[in-house]
Amino acid sequence: MLKRQTMPGVLVLIVVLATSGGTGAQQPLPTVVVLATGGTIAGAAGSDVQAAYKSGQVGVDQLLAAVPQAKKVATLRGEQISNIGSQDMNDEVWLKLARRVNELAAMSDVAGIVITHGTDTIEETAYFLNLVVKSRKPVVLTAAMRPSTALSADGPLNFFNAVAVAANKDASERGVLVVVNDWIHGASSLTKTSTTAVQTFMSPVRGLIGTVAYGEVEFYRGGVGRNTVNSEFSLDGVTTLPRVDIIMAYENMDGALIDAAVAAGAKGLVIAGVGNGNMTEPAVNALAAQAKKGIISVRSSRVLTGRVGRNVELNDDELGFVASLEHNPQKARVLLRLALTKTTDLKQIQRYFDEY
Ligand code: ASP
């Protein structure tokens, strides 16, 4: 009788020990590699209440040392890719960064990657990586609006949260992510909306991928559009990216800047149009003339939210234009540059805008 009563207790104890790691064996922390590119998160000012500062002053080792809490979430390794304000982001850094992300993501001991970046162009870099990284592992960009020396700097918590997201298994297969101010954005959806506010990033059309509060991660949805392992784009054999310029539309616009961009070597043009990708008649005529000569011409919008649809007030079929759909001008430019590494076929390029 006694034996029959005690046996289940023993079994419960064994099950508890096996599931809780009660033998003393600790699960190793996932390894997250931090690639630092510069930005305000690595910026420094003369005092903690000074608006003037310089981006890209603090190195990756200092950045890691400033947030020791992150080492409780992941084993961290740091590499310096560049140390620039992201207003100076360029193809050389992009290609180096993307290639390194692909190398690291292929390593079995690397669970995720965090990239520290400036806020000015983070949406472009994130979207570029979203299209050319070939991995299901989390790739998470983060940034800060206040320099590291500021009173109430936002960088350390953003960095901690980014590491927590990159170390989280559920973060995989959602495309490249951007973590700033407790919010997890998808690379294709986010945009910078304030020049100075800490709460600058929004995903106005699609909303957030999730939230992260002091490392506690919650996901709402997956990535929008084809990305990473499902992307047709690759940097294999690519050493340069074609030139694509963005031209903003405005009252009384003529075709001078459109023609000047082509004369400067642009193979593609993105118009940040008024409203639903519109522009003055002289600008339409200049763009259509360039489109006839094979310059790929995309209509996007200078308006923050909404789609630019095909054949709405302008007949794209007749004029030979591509409609950007949900892509804002800066993302349309990234996609068109990669598209031009593969084709100049208008139908195929419109399909890219539809699918990515
Ligand atoms: N100009 C800075 C940069 O993009 C702004 C920032 O990081 O917030 O590098």
Side-chain angles (χ1 to χ4, degrees):
M1 192 64 191
L2 183 67
K3 208 172 176 186
R4 286 175 78 189
Q5 276 180 339
T6 52
M7 274 306 282
V10 171
L11 277 177
V12 166
L13 185 64
I14 290 167
V15 171
V16 169
L17 282 173
T19 54
S20 69
T23 52
Q26 291 236 318
Q27 287 279 29
L29 289 174
T31 295
V32 169
V33 181
V34 179
L35 301 179
T37 69
T40 299
I41 196 166
S47 90
D48 57 2
V49 287
Q50 180 180 310
Y53 72 97
K54 229 172 151 16
S55 280
Q57 298 300 295
V58 171
V60 66
D61 294 337
Q62 250 177 296
L63 220 121
L64 297 189
V67 194
Q69 298 85 343
K71 298 200 180 93
K72 296 198 174 120
V73 180
T75 300
L76 296 178
R77 294 205 308 257
E79 293 178 21
Q80 195 81 46
I81 297 289
S82 62
N83 212 355
I84 54 176
S86 76
Q87 58 271 43
D88 275 326
M89 192 47 67
N90 56 65
D91 292 357
E92 196 188 330
V93 177
W94 264 10
L95 295 175
K96 181 177 171 192
L97 177 65
R99 294 212 159 94
R100 190 60 187 143
V101 169
N102 276 321
E103 276 168 13
L104 289 165
M107 294 178 186
S108 59
D109 66 323
V110 174
I113 294 157
V114 165
I115 299 162
T116 57
H117 199 286
T119 59
D120 289 354
T121 59
I122 196 171
E123 63 189 276
E124 284 148 89
T125 300
Y127 188 53
F128 175 67
L129 294 174
N130 200 46
L131 300 178
V132 299
V133 164
K134 301 286 166 201
S135 174
R136 297 186 153 82
K137 292 181 184 173
V139 175
V140 182
L141 287 89
T142 192
M145 288 298 283
R146 297 177 179 148
S148 65
T149 49
L151 185 65
S152 202
D154 53 334
L157 185 54
N158 286 346
F159 179 74
F160 177 77
N161 281 335
V163 171
V165 172
N168 189 306
K169 278 206 176 76
D170 285 347
S172 56
E173 294 189 56
R174 294 178 196 270
V176 170
L177 303 173
V178 177
V179 170
V180 176
N181 211 27
D182 295 359
W183 284 4
I184 307 170
H185 298 268
S188 61
S189 310
L190 92 153
T191 192
K192 187 173 183 177
T193 66
S194 165
T195 53
T196 54
V198 168
Q199 181 50 29
T200 185
F201 288 105
M202 300 283 172
S203 291
V205 178
R206 295 286 183 160
L208 298 178
I209 289 218
T211 57
V212 49
Y214 299 101
E216 287 289 318
V217 180
E218 195 168 344
F219 287 110
Y220 306 151
R221 66 165 176 88
V224 173
R226 291 172 64 174
N227 61 71
T228 57
V229 290
N230 296 315
S231 167
E232 293 155 85
F233 302 107
S234 145
L235 293 180
D236 291 348
V238 172
T239 49
T240 55
L241 292 165
R243 175 169 177 154
V244 170
D245 288 328
I246 300 173
I247 299 170
M248 190 187 272
Y250 42 82
E251 173 272 339
N252 212 42
M253 182 183 191
D254 65 15
L257 292 181
I258 289 170
D259 295 340
V262 175
K267 303 286 178 259
L269 296 173
V270 174
I271 305 296
V274 293
N276 200 341
N278 292 316
M279 65 206 89
T280 60
E281 210 179 309
V284 171
N285 293 338
L287 195 66
Q290 294 298 352
K292 273 211 175 67
K293 289 188 214 153
I295 303 298
I296 307 301
S297 305
V298 177
R299 293 188 306 108
S300 182
S301 179
R302 64 183 206 180
V303 180
L304 183 66
T305 80
R307 282 165 69 91
V308 170
R310 264 195 90 77
N311 301 328
V312 180
E313 286 187 70
L314 288 169
N315 189 328
D316 296 301
D317 295 344
E318 275 175 14
L319 294 162
F321 296 161
V322 173
S324 75
L325 310 178
E326 272 181 36
H327 300 78
N328 69 16
Q330 51 274 36
K331 301 238 179 98
R333 176 178 174 271
V334 173
L335 181 55
L336 183 53
R337 296 187 84 195
L338 286 168
L340 286 169
T341 64
K342 292 176 80 75
T343 185
T344 52
D345 181 76
L346 284 178
K347 276 214 170 79
Q348 193 169 331
I349 293 175
Q350 186 65 70
R351 176 179 69 77
Y352 292 150
F353 277 82
D354 201 23
E355 294 181 3
Y356 292 83

